Protein backbone atom coordinates (compact mmCIF):
# COMPACT_ATOMS: atom_id res chain seq x y z
CA UNK A 1 0.00 0.00 0.00
CA UNK A 2 2.83 2.33 0.97
CA UNK A 3 4.52 1.60 -2.35
CA UNK A 4 1.33 2.40 -4.26
CA UNK A 5 0.88 5.67 -2.38
CA UNK A 6 4.51 6.59 -3.05
CA UNK A 7 4.04 5.91 -6.77
CA UNK A 8 0.87 8.00 -6.83
CA UNK A 9 2.65 10.88 -5.14
CA UNK A 10 5.49 10.77 -7.65
CA UNK A 11 3.00 10.69 -10.52
CA UNK A 12 1.08 13.73 -9.21
CA UNK A 13 4.34 15.63 -8.74
CA UNK A 14 5.45 14.81 -12.28
CA UNK A 15 2.13 15.95 -13.74
CA UNK A 16 2.33 19.17 -11.76
CA UNK A 17 5.85 19.88 -13.03
CA UNK A 18 4.86 19.25 -16.65
CA UNK A 19 1.75 21.41 -16.25
CA UNK A 20 3.73 24.29 -14.77
CA UNK A 21 6.27 24.09 -17.59
CA UNK A 22 3.55 24.68 -20.20
CA UNK A 23 2.53 28.31 -20.90
CA UNK A 24 -1.07 29.05 -20.05
CA UNK A 25 -2.91 30.28 -23.13
CA UNK A 26 -5.59 32.90 -22.40
CA UNK A 27 -9.03 32.36 -23.87
CA UNK A 28 -8.71 35.73 -25.63
CA UNK A 29 -5.80 37.95 -26.57
CA UNK A 30 -5.71 40.42 -23.68
CA UNK A 31 -3.38 42.73 -25.59
CA UNK A 32 -5.70 43.23 -28.54
CA UNK A 33 -7.70 46.44 -28.74
CA UNK A 34 -11.46 46.46 -29.23
CA UNK A 35 -13.46 48.17 -31.96
CA UNK A 36 -15.93 50.98 -31.27
CA UNK A 37 -18.79 50.92 -33.73
CA UNK A 38 -21.58 52.91 -32.05
CA UNK A 39 -22.04 56.29 -30.35
CA UNK A 40 -22.28 54.73 -26.89
CA UNK A 41 -18.66 53.57 -27.29
CA UNK A 42 -19.32 50.00 -26.24
CA UNK A 43 -16.09 48.06 -26.90
CA UNK A 44 -16.36 45.01 -29.16
CA UNK A 45 -13.66 42.44 -29.76
CA UNK A 46 -14.20 41.15 -33.30
CA UNK A 47 -11.94 38.49 -34.78
CA UNK A 48 -10.86 38.80 -38.40
CA UNK A 49 -12.67 35.52 -39.03
CA UNK A 50 -15.97 36.91 -37.74
CA UNK A 51 -18.59 37.71 -40.37
CA UNK A 52 -19.03 41.16 -38.79
CA UNK A 53 -15.36 42.04 -39.37
CA UNK A 54 -15.84 43.32 -42.92
CA UNK A 55 -18.61 45.69 -41.85
CA UNK A 56 -16.86 47.40 -38.94
CA UNK A 57 -17.58 51.13 -38.74
CA UNK A 58 -14.82 53.19 -40.40
CA UNK A 59 -14.15 56.90 -40.85
CA UNK A 60 -15.22 57.95 -44.37
CA UNK A 61 -13.21 60.13 -46.70
CA UNK A 62 -12.91 63.82 -45.77
CA UNK A 63 -11.56 67.01 -47.30
CA UNK A 64 -10.04 69.56 -44.92
CA UNK A 65 -7.12 72.03 -44.76
CA UNK A 66 -4.23 72.08 -42.29
CA UNK A 67 -2.26 74.90 -40.64
CA UNK A 68 0.03 75.10 -43.68
CA UNK A 69 -2.87 75.53 -46.08
CA UNK A 70 -2.36 72.02 -47.45
CA UNK A 71 -5.31 69.74 -48.24
CA UNK A 72 -5.85 66.82 -45.86
CA UNK A 73 -7.92 63.80 -46.90
CA UNK A 74 -8.21 60.15 -46.00
CA UNK A 75 -5.22 59.56 -48.30
CA UNK A 76 -3.10 61.66 -45.93
CA UNK A 77 -3.52 59.01 -43.24
CA UNK A 78 -3.65 56.03 -45.57
CA UNK A 79 -2.11 53.00 -43.82
CA UNK A 80 -1.25 55.16 -40.78
CA UNK A 81 -2.42 55.15 -37.18
CA UNK A 82 -3.78 58.48 -36.01
CA UNK A 83 -5.27 60.23 -33.01
CA UNK A 84 -8.33 62.39 -33.68
CA UNK A 85 -9.50 65.23 -31.44
CA UNK A 86 -11.51 68.46 -31.48
CA UNK A 87 -10.60 71.92 -30.22
CA UNK A 88 -10.71 75.63 -31.03
CA UNK A 89 -7.90 78.15 -30.75
CA UNK A 90 -9.78 80.64 -28.56
CA UNK A 91 -10.79 77.98 -26.02
CA UNK A 92 -9.78 79.32 -22.59
CA UNK A 93 -10.02 76.12 -20.56
CA UNK A 94 -9.91 72.45 -21.43
CA UNK A 95 -8.35 72.92 -24.87
CA UNK A 96 -5.10 74.02 -23.26
CA UNK A 97 -4.86 70.83 -21.25
CA UNK A 98 -5.93 68.83 -24.29
CA UNK A 99 -3.20 70.45 -26.39
CA UNK A 100 -0.55 69.95 -23.70
CA UNK A 101 -1.46 66.28 -23.42
CA UNK A 102 -1.43 65.79 -27.18
CA UNK A 103 2.06 67.27 -27.14
CA UNK A 104 3.06 64.25 -25.03
CA UNK A 105 1.71 61.94 -27.73
CA UNK A 106 3.61 63.92 -30.37
CA UNK A 107 6.82 63.65 -28.37
CA UNK A 108 6.40 59.92 -27.70
CA UNK A 109 6.11 59.19 -31.44
CA UNK A 110 8.10 62.09 -32.82
CA UNK A 111 10.27 59.96 -35.09
CA UNK A 112 7.58 57.40 -35.95
CA UNK A 113 6.46 57.91 -39.57
CA UNK A 114 3.34 55.79 -39.06
CA UNK A 115 1.60 58.04 -36.52
CA UNK A 116 -0.32 61.29 -37.05
CA UNK A 117 -2.44 63.55 -34.84
CA UNK A 118 -5.49 65.26 -36.37
CA UNK A 119 -7.03 68.09 -34.34
CA UNK A 120 -10.25 69.42 -35.89
CA UNK A 121 -11.35 72.98 -35.15
CA UNK A 122 -14.98 73.24 -34.06
CA UNK A 123 -14.98 76.96 -34.92
CA UNK A 124 -13.63 76.80 -38.48
CA UNK A 125 -15.29 80.11 -39.34
CA UNK A 126 -12.71 81.87 -37.13
CA UNK A 127 -9.92 79.30 -37.10
CA UNK A 128 -8.55 79.98 -40.57
CA UNK A 129 -5.17 78.79 -41.81
CA UNK A 130 -3.30 81.82 -40.47
CA UNK A 131 -4.80 81.43 -37.02
CA UNK A 132 -4.08 77.72 -36.92
CA UNK A 133 -0.48 78.38 -37.99
CA UNK A 134 -0.09 80.88 -35.15
CA UNK A 135 -1.56 78.40 -32.66
CA UNK A 136 0.74 75.66 -33.95
CA UNK A 137 3.79 77.87 -33.52
CA UNK A 138 2.76 78.86 -29.98
CA UNK A 139 2.20 75.27 -28.86
CA UNK A 140 5.08 73.43 -30.48
CA UNK A 141 2.94 71.64 -33.05
CA UNK A 142 5.13 69.92 -35.63
CA UNK A 143 3.46 70.16 -39.03
CA UNK A 144 4.37 66.80 -40.52
CA UNK A 145 3.23 65.01 -37.36
CA UNK A 146 0.31 67.00 -35.94
CA UNK A 147 -2.27 68.54 -38.27
CA UNK A 148 -4.63 71.29 -37.11
CA UNK A 149 -7.64 71.15 -39.40
CA UNK A 150 -10.19 73.65 -40.64
CA UNK A 151 -12.70 73.68 -43.48
CA UNK A 152 -16.42 73.73 -44.09
CA UNK A 153 -18.31 73.81 -40.78
CA UNK A 154 -21.08 71.44 -41.89
CA UNK A 155 -18.51 68.94 -43.12
CA UNK A 156 -16.53 69.03 -39.88
CA UNK A 157 -19.60 68.70 -37.67
CA UNK A 158 -21.05 65.86 -39.74
CA UNK A 159 -17.69 64.07 -39.68
CA UNK A 160 -17.39 64.63 -35.93
CA UNK A 161 -20.85 63.40 -34.99
CA UNK A 162 -21.53 60.72 -37.57
CA UNK A 163 -18.05 59.27 -38.01
CA UNK A 164 -16.22 59.93 -34.73
CA UNK A 165 -19.35 59.94 -32.50
CA UNK A 166 -17.88 63.07 -30.94
CA UNK A 167 -20.27 64.90 -28.65
CA UNK A 168 -21.11 64.83 -24.97
CA UNK A 169 -24.88 64.75 -25.50
CA UNK A 170 -25.13 61.50 -27.41
CA UNK A 171 -28.42 60.49 -28.92
CA UNK A 172 -29.78 63.99 -29.52
CA UNK A 173 -30.27 65.14 -33.09
CA UNK A 174 -27.99 68.09 -33.72
CA UNK A 175 -26.87 70.27 -36.59
CA UNK A 176 -23.79 72.40 -37.21
CA UNK A 177 -25.57 75.31 -35.51
CA UNK A 178 -25.31 73.41 -32.22
CA UNK A 179 -21.85 73.85 -30.73
CA UNK A 180 -19.73 70.71 -30.62
CA UNK A 181 -17.91 70.02 -27.38
CA UNK A 182 -15.95 66.92 -26.43
CA UNK A 183 -12.82 66.07 -24.48
CA UNK A 184 -12.50 62.69 -26.16
CA UNK A 185 -9.47 61.62 -28.12
CA UNK A 186 -9.96 58.71 -30.49
CA UNK A 187 -7.38 56.19 -31.60
CA UNK A 188 -7.86 55.25 -35.26
CA UNK A 189 -6.20 52.26 -36.88
CA UNK A 190 -4.67 51.84 -40.34
CA UNK A 191 -8.10 51.06 -41.78
CA UNK A 192 -9.71 54.18 -40.21
CA UNK A 193 -11.57 52.20 -37.55
CA UNK A 194 -12.00 53.48 -33.97
CA UNK A 195 -9.90 51.37 -31.57
CA UNK A 196 -9.73 53.51 -28.43
CA UNK A 197 -11.53 56.37 -26.67
CA UNK A 198 -9.75 58.50 -24.05
CA UNK A 199 -10.49 61.62 -22.01
CA UNK A 200 -7.94 64.04 -23.38
CA UNK A 201 -7.82 66.15 -20.22
CA UNK A 202 -6.79 63.13 -18.13
CA UNK A 203 -3.05 62.47 -18.01
CA UNK A 204 -3.72 58.85 -17.04
CA UNK A 205 -5.95 58.36 -20.09
CA UNK A 206 -3.38 59.96 -22.38
CA UNK A 207 -0.66 57.68 -21.02
CA UNK A 208 -2.99 54.75 -21.77
CA UNK A 209 -3.41 56.13 -25.29
CA UNK A 210 0.35 56.27 -25.77
CA UNK A 211 0.62 52.65 -24.61
CA UNK A 212 -2.29 51.48 -26.78
CA UNK A 213 -0.66 52.96 -29.88
CA UNK A 214 2.21 50.54 -29.30
CA UNK A 215 -0.28 47.66 -29.10
CA UNK A 216 -1.99 48.78 -32.30
CA UNK A 217 1.33 49.03 -34.13
CA UNK A 218 1.75 45.27 -33.66
CA UNK A 219 -1.29 44.59 -35.84
CA UNK A 220 -0.92 44.05 -39.57
Amino acid sequence: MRSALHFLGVLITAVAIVSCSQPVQPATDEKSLPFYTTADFTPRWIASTDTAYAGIHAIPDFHLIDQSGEPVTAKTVNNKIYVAGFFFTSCPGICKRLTNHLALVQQAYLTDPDLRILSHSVTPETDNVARLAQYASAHGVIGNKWLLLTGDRDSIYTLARKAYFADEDMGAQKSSSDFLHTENLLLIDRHRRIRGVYKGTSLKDVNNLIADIRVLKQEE
Side-chain angles (χ1 to χ4, degrees), residues 71-211:
V72 176
T73 69
K75 288 183 179 180
T76 307
V77 289
N78 183 47
N79 203 34
K80 295 185 185 301
I81 295 167
Y82 72 94
V83 177
F86 299 85
F87 82 115
F88 58 107
T89 61
S90 59
C91 175
I94 66 169
C95 292
K96 273 191 175 180
R97 263 188 299 163
L98 196 62
T99 299
N100 290 340
H101 286 169
L102 278 172
L104 299 177
V105 180
Q106 176 181 249
Q107 184 58 39
Y109 292 93
L110 193 59
T111 60
D112 190 330
D114 293 329
L115 183 85
R116 294 289 183 275
I117 302 171
L118 271 55
S119 292
H120 306 71
S121 172
V122 298
T123 58
E125 63 277 6
T126 56
D127 284 341
N128 55 26
V129 169
R131 193 159 183 171
L132 291 180
Q134 184 180 21
Y135 188 88
S137 177
H139 293 86
V141 173
I142 297 174
N144 63 347
K145 174 64 64 176
W146 184 354
L147 308 178
L148 308 182
L149 303 177
T150 189
D152 176 72
R153 183 184 175 96
D154 285 342
S155 297
I156 290 175
Y157 273 57
T158 298
L159 182 69
R161 290 187 169 128
K162 300 295 184 183
Y164 292 109
F165 308 130
D167 214 337
E168 292 181 359
D169 298 319
M170 295 180 297
Q173 293 296 318
K174 294 187 175 184
S175 69
S176 61
S177 61
D178 296 304
F179 187 71
L180 173 68
H181 51 99
T182 180
E183 299 176 26
N184 284 341
L185 296 174
L186 298 107
L187 178 57
I188 313 299
D189 70 15
R190 300 179 192 275
H191 303 285
R192 304 205 305 273
R193 302 171 301 196
I194 302 172
R195 304 300 298 278
V197 184
Y198 314 84
K199 188 173 287 294
T201 54
S202 163
L203 182 58
K204 179 181 178 181
D205 267 26
V206 172
N207 283 331
N208 288 338
L209 165 61
I210 290 170

Side-chain angles (χ1 to χ4, degrees), residues 10-21:
V10 171
L11 180 62
I12 291 172
T13 302
V15 170
I17 292 172
V18 170
S19 298
C20 291
S21 67

